[in-house]
Amino acid sequence: MANEEDDPVIQEIDVYLAKSLAEKLYLFQYPVRPVSMTYDDIPHLSARIKPKQQKVELEMAIDTLNPNYCRSKGEQIALNVDGACADETSTYSSKLMDKQTFCSSQTTSNTSRYAAALYRQGELHLTPLHGILQLRPSFSYLDKADAKHREREAANEAGDSSQDEAEEDVKQITVRFSRPESEQARQRRVQSYEFLQKKHAEEPWVHLHYYGLRDSRSEHERQYLLCQGSSGVENTELVKSPSEYLMMLMPPSQEEEKDKPVAPSNVLSMAQLRTLPLADQIKILMKNVKVMPFANLMSLLGPSIDSVAVLRGIQKVAMLVQGNWVVKSDILYPKDSSSPHSGVPAEVLCRGRDFVMWKFTQSRWVVRKEVAAVTKLCAEDVKDFLEHMAVVRINKGWEFILPYDGEFIKKHPDVVQRQHMLWTGIQAKLEKVYNLVKETMPKKPDGQSGPVGLVSGDQRVQVAKRQAQQNHALLERELQRRKEQLRASSVLPAVRIKEEPVSEEGEEEEERGAEDEQPMDTSPGGGLHSRLANGLPAARAAGGDSFNGHPPSGSAGTPVARELRAFVEATFQRQFVLTLSELKRLFNLHLASLPPGHMLFSGISDRMLQDTVLAAGCKQILVPFPPQTAASPDEQKVFALWESGDMSDQHRQVLLEIFSKNYRVRRNMIQSRLTQECGEDLSKQEVDKVLKDCCVSYGGMWYLKGTVQS
């Protein structure tokens, strides 16, 4: 109290915050000027700025008449820089160093604590600074003088050597072509210092006009340093409570904020984790745990969380392996990351880890050498993959870390089927990438009743027999219903129904058709082989009736058939030619995108899928594959959209007829056949369009899409 009485307040000053120049005001710090000169005595010849870099250059005149100026030194510098001949490009046109360049550099990146103050009529007006730049002398003219000196020396050496030689000898030149730049090389080049310097140099200069201290324009701009609002609306930020004002004076340390935990796994408590959205909780838990049963995940999330929402979220960040959830590879290896061991990009790591996960969907055991041989990755990367989801057993290999969760499999069959479709698509991708031999690929089990690799052959036979007995009565009723529909339709006028005699062969054909109604086998190499011709049973195809463009009887009106036909029509509108194998893969991906419990999960057979394709206006193209082809039966069944309603239908039909007789064709043959059939000279763009829609080029030959065997 005594100190306060000794230091009384003698005046209170109102403080105003002006914002008119808040984003435009810079502070330039000049070097020390001669004492005899005032601020306006220094002539500013020119000024320019690079806005993105906040780089400023000022050219100021030097007082050559000052007694402290050394004239002989100024003439020598001008001579070294520009040489004896002065022209428009000369730095010093007066042959005397009469100006100096100042280049800016940022003193601090955080200018939020600095402001320009203007005191007027008992009021203090503050304007925040947008930047603080220090202007230092630039000696680039010395580099120019050195360059001139080297040019003169090179010219003198060239002149001396030319006296001894009448003419230069012919020199051999080696021409080299650079390889295509990879993505990694491009990123390294973009982040290099040389590239950044080049980008900075490419930014154009913006020339500025300098206005003196007493100029009218300066007086006008200086008024913006005063708070413009007389009602005090602009100054609401200065009206703070004592605690808020104290917080502004003593803000919390940034280091303390950085030390706050941002992720789980021994740095984030469960209480903090549960404050995040459900999707983030699931992602963080799976990213750190790697493998987890669904029951454990529910216990960590809490009893109030809906299991349906958790199921929906877990499928976005994890895959189902032996009834347990394993985090997806792209969650552990983001797009722009790379291996800490070998430096390979994230895409290759994800592909290799997916192969390991897929192997565990086939068996409880995986051998590390086999994985390394297929993926071509280093031993450290493969070991990381296996340690995420398995434990090593001496003399046996790597065993999946968790037991088979049969309870989850039985409780959520729709999720299991959806995950099965996803794994089918991943399997097809891995086969193409790693060139896996289909005969050596392990086959999927017929059911999900137990862990893969623990079901004996006798058990599988018993399961198949029980399924056949259960489906027998259903198939009998379906057959009877179709016969009744045929009898009912025979009484319609002007409709003639062709009846075929029922024989033992016909009964066998019906039995084979009943077998075809089982859900389609999406494993590689599967299919109907030679039982179907143009997507129909051999007995029907031999009868001479054309089913192209007509739906199978009794199925077109069901909701499942309508949904399946909508998918087929939309798919062939995007891709005009598809093999049965590729169509099944696209259908599996479509199923994976559908919500659980969708009607298409009821089971779609190969026969139903092919009949729907033919009913949608497509035709099967009987491509004559070579005898030594490695294509599977499903890959040899090629379907094409016959009429799409555009101007290229006729051209496409001619092209498909060509490939019905040839496995591969040259472009000139296609060009001549199109010209002959269409009766007009087609443009190159029209031929390119029909080839792009239906074909692919390989080794100078053209193949229908999906039929080329590399």
Side-chain angles (χ1 to χ4, degrees):
M1 295 296 292
N3 293 335
E4 292 181 0
E5 293 177 356
D6 295 340
D7 189 15
V9 176
I10 60 175
Q11 185 181 0
E12 291 187 358
I13 302 174
D14 293 332
V15 180
Y16 295 90
L17 182 63
K19 294 185 177 181
S20 300
L21 299 178
E23 299 295 329
K24 306 174 184 177
L25 190 61
Y26 288 84
L27 174 63
F28 290 175
Q29 295 178 345
Y30 290 83
V32 178
R33 301 188 299 272
V35 179
S36 60
M37 302 179 66
T38 62
Y39 185 86
D40 269 1
D41 291 334
I42 301 178
H44 292 68
L45 300 180
S46 65
R48 57 183 185 174
I49 185 174
K50 289 187 176 183
K52 293 182 179 179
Q53 305 175 39
Q54 293 188 359
K55 183 178 181 181
V56 177
E57 280 191 1
L58 296 180
E59 281 190 358
M60 296 185 181
I62 298 177
D63 184 10
T64 58
L65 301 179
N66 192 289
N68 296 324
Y69 180 79
C70 182
R71 191 174 185 86
S72 61
K73 199 68 174 178
E75 292 177 351
Q76 183 64 40
I77 293 176
L79 180 63
N80 293 339
V81 173
D82 298 328
C85 299
D87 53 15
E88 296 179 355
T89 61
S90 298
T91 304
Y92 304 111
S93 57
S94 63
K95 297 186 178 181
L96 189 68
M97 184 180 178
D98 55 357
K99 60 183 178 180
Q100 189 174 13
T101 302
F102 292 86
C103 187
S104 68
S105 62
Q106 286 190 354
T107 58
T108 178
S109 58
N110 183 15
T111 59
S112 60
R113 309 174 78 176
Y114 299 91
L118 182 63
Y119 182 75
R120 179 172 295 184
Q121 298 178 358
E123 297 175 348
L124 185 63
H125 298 262
L126 301 179
T127 301
L129 289 178
H130 189 62
I132 300 177
L133 302 178
Q134 286 186 349
L135 295 171
R136 295 185 174 91
S138 174
F139 301 99
S140 58
Y141 60 88
L142 297 178
D143 297 334
K144 190 174 181 180
D146 292 341
K148 287 279 187 181
H149 179 68
R150 286 193 295 268
E151 288 178 2
R152 287 194 294 267
E153 288 184 349
N156 293 334
E157 292 178 0
D160 295 340
S161 61
S162 62
Q163 295 177 1
D164 301 332
E165 299 179 2
E167 62 181 26
E168 296 183 357
D169 295 336
V170 178
K171 296 182 179 180
Q172 183 179 1
I173 299 176
T174 303
V175 180
R176 296 181 180 179
F177 296 93
S178 61
R179 298 179 180 178
E181 189 178 28
S182 64
E183 182 64 22
Q184 280 185 317
R186 190 192 70 82
Q187 291 181 359
R188 287 195 297 267
R189 180 176 59 83
V190 169
Q191 296 174 0
S192 64
Y193 175 78
E194 181 181 359
F195 181 83
L196 295 178
Q197 289 295 102
K198 183 179 178 182
K199 292 292 290 183
H200 289 168
E202 290 176 353
E203 183 181 357
W205 287 99
V206 178
H207 291 275
L208 306 175
H209 297 283
Y210 173 77
Y211 295 94
L213 181 64
R214 300 177 183 85
D215 192 277
S216 59
R217 179 64 181 271
S218 297
E219 290 288 345
H220 175 74
E221 293 291 333
R222 199 176 296 118
Q223 296 300 319
Y224 289 112
L225 294 176
L226 300 175
C227 181
Q228 304 297 321
S230 59
S231 60
V233 177
E234 276 193 292
N235 302 299
T236 55
E237 296 186 14
L238 298 180
V239 182
K240 301 290 184 181
S241 64
S243 59
E244 292 174 338
Y245 184 67
L246 182 61
M247 183 64 68
M248 293 174 63
L249 291 177
M250 299 290 294
S253 175
Q254 294 183 358
E255 295 180 357
E256 295 179 1
E257 296 179 358
K258 292 181 180 178
D259 291 340
K260 291 182 179 179
V262 294
S265 179
N266 70 31
V267 294
L268 182 64
S269 65
M270 293 302 299
Q272 292 174 321
L273 180 66
R274 289 173 181 174
T275 60
L276 301 175
L278 179 60
D280 293 342
Q281 295 184 44
I282 298 174
K283 182 177 179 180
I284 291 174
L285 287 172
M286 292 305 305
K287 186 176 180 180
N288 286 271
V289 181
K290 308 293 190 302
V291 185
M292 189 186 304
F294 185 74
N296 291 12
L297 179 62
M298 289 299 300
S299 64
L300 290 174
L301 294 175
S304 61
I305 303 299
D306 184 17
S307 61
V308 177
V310 177
L311 273 176
R312 191 180 300 112
I314 190 64
Q315 295 182 67
K316 297 179 181 179
V317 298
M319 296 291 293
L320 190 66
V321 178
Q322 300 190 22
N324 301 282
W325 291 99
V326 182
V327 65
K328 288 184 176 180
S329 302
D330 54 359
I331 301 296
L332 296 179
Y333 304 107
K335 185 176 181 181
D336 297 330
S337 63
S338 59
S339 169
H341 306 294
S342 59
V344 299
E347 181 183 359
V348 180
L349 293 176
C350 291
R351 192 185 305 142
R353 188 174 181 275
D354 287 345
F355 177 75
V356 175
M357 293 170 61
W358 175 80
K359 289 287 288 183
F360 276 119
T361 64
Q362 310 297 310
S363 174
R364 293 274 312 168
W365 299 89
V366 168
V367 180
R368 181 165 63 91
K369 291 184 179 179
E370 178 185 350
V371 175
V374 173
T375 60
K376 303 296 189 295
L377 293 172
C378 68
E380 290 79 6
D381 288 334
V382 176
K383 186 177 180 181
D384 284 349
F385 299 158
L386 293 171
E387 287 178 345
H388 290 168
M389 62 194 81
V391 291
V392 63
R393 305 296 185 191
I394 300 176
N395 298 329
K396 289 186 177 181
W398 291 78
E399 184 184 12
F400 193 69
I401 195 170
L402 295 178
Y404 182 84
D405 192 351
E407 182 179 354
F408 180 86
I409 297 295
K410 296 177 181 178
K411 190 175 181 180
H412 304 281
D414 52 342
V415 177
V416 174
Q417 186 172 5
R418 183 173 182 177
Q419 289 291 312
H420 173 71
M421 299 301 179
L422 287 174
W423 278 120
T424 303
I426 294 175
Q427 174 183 340
K429 181 180 178 181
L430 294 174
E431 290 175 4
K432 292 183 179 180
V433 172
Y434 293 131
N435 296 323
L436 302 179
V437 181
K438 297 180 180 179
E439 286 74 8
T440 62
M441 300 289 290
K443 296 182 179 180
K444 295 276 187 181
D446 294 337
Q448 295 286 350
S449 58
V452 180
L454 300 180
V455 180
S456 64
D458 293 338
Q459 290 175 335
R460 294 181 181 180
V461 172
Q462 294 298 328
V463 170
K465 287 182 178 180
R466 286 197 298 269
Q467 289 180 349
Q469 293 174 359
Q470 293 173 359
N471 294 333
H472 179 72
L474 179 62
L475 295 174
E476 287 290 342
R477 289 194 296 270
E478 180 67 17
L479 179 61
Q480 188 65 26
R481 185 179 63 82
R482 292 187 180 184
K483 289 181 178 180
E484 292 177 357
Q485 288 181 349
L486 289 175
R487 296 192 193 98
S489 61
S490 62
V491 301
L492 296 176
V495 177
R496 181 172 177 269
I497 303 300
K498 177 181 179 181
E499 297 183 0
E500 298 179 354
V502 179
S503 61
E504 294 182 359
E505 294 180 357
E507 293 176 356
E508 294 176 358
E509 184 62 35
E510 292 293 344
E511 292 178 0
R512 287 196 296 268
E515 294 176 359
D516 292 340
E517 289 298 328
Q518 297 296 326
M520 63 182 177
D521 178 18
T522 57
S523 61
L528 302 178
H529 302 282
S530 60
R531 295 182 296 175
L532 298 180
N534 201 16
L536 298 173
R540 295 189 182 184
D545 293 339
S546 174
F547 279 74
N548 272 343
H550 299 280
S553 60
S555 63
T558 62
V560 175
R562 289 195 298 267
E563 191 76 17
L564 180 61
R565 177 158 180 167
F567 161 76
V568 169
E569 291 177 348
T571 302
F572 275 94
Q573 286 293 335
R574 294 190 303 268
Q575 306 183 39
F576 294 93
V577 178
L578 287 172
T579 63
L580 180 59
S581 176
E582 178 67 12
L583 180 61
K584 289 162 64 174
R585 188 186 70 84
L586 294 175
F587 181 66
N588 289 336
L589 295 177
H590 176 66
L591 287 179
S593 65
L594 297 176
H598 194 274
M599 64 179 66
L600 287 181
F601 284 111
S602 59
I604 304 298
S605 65
D606 282 5
R607 174 178 169 180
M608 184 176 181
L609 183 61
Q610 293 179 87
D611 288 350
T612 305
V613 170
L614 299 175
C618 301
K619 288 189 177 182
Q620 183 176 359
I621 310 302
L622 302 178
V623 179
F625 282 82
Q628 68 277 12
T629 181
S632 65
D634 283 354
E635 291 176 342
Q636 295 185 32
K637 292 181 181 179
V638 184
F639 297 91
L641 183 61
W642 195 251
E643 293 182 356
S644 64
D646 58 11
M647 301 296 294
S648 303
D649 281 348
Q650 183 182 3
H651 306 156
R652 194 181 304 110
Q653 292 170 8
V654 173
L655 182 67
L656 295 175
E657 290 179 357
I658 295 175
F659 280 101
S660 65
K661 300 178 182 178
N662 303 274
Y663 173 62
R664 57 183 181 180
V665 188
R666 294 191 179 275
R667 182 188 174 96
N668 55 3
M669 177 181 176
I670 297 175
Q671 181 88 36
S672 60
R673 181 67 180 275
L674 286 173
T675 303
Q676 178 183 354
E677 294 292 336
C678 299
E680 58 182 6
D681 292 332
L682 299 177
S683 63
K684 182 178 181 298
Q685 290 77 10
E686 292 175 321
V687 177
D688 290 342
K689 181 183 184 303
V690 70
L691 288 175
K692 182 180 178 182
D693 291 343
C694 304
C695 304
V696 292
S697 177
Y698 184 78
M701 304 295 288
W702 288 88
Y703 302 78
L704 275 185
K705 287 184 177 179
T707 63
V708 60
Q709 301 294 321
S710 58

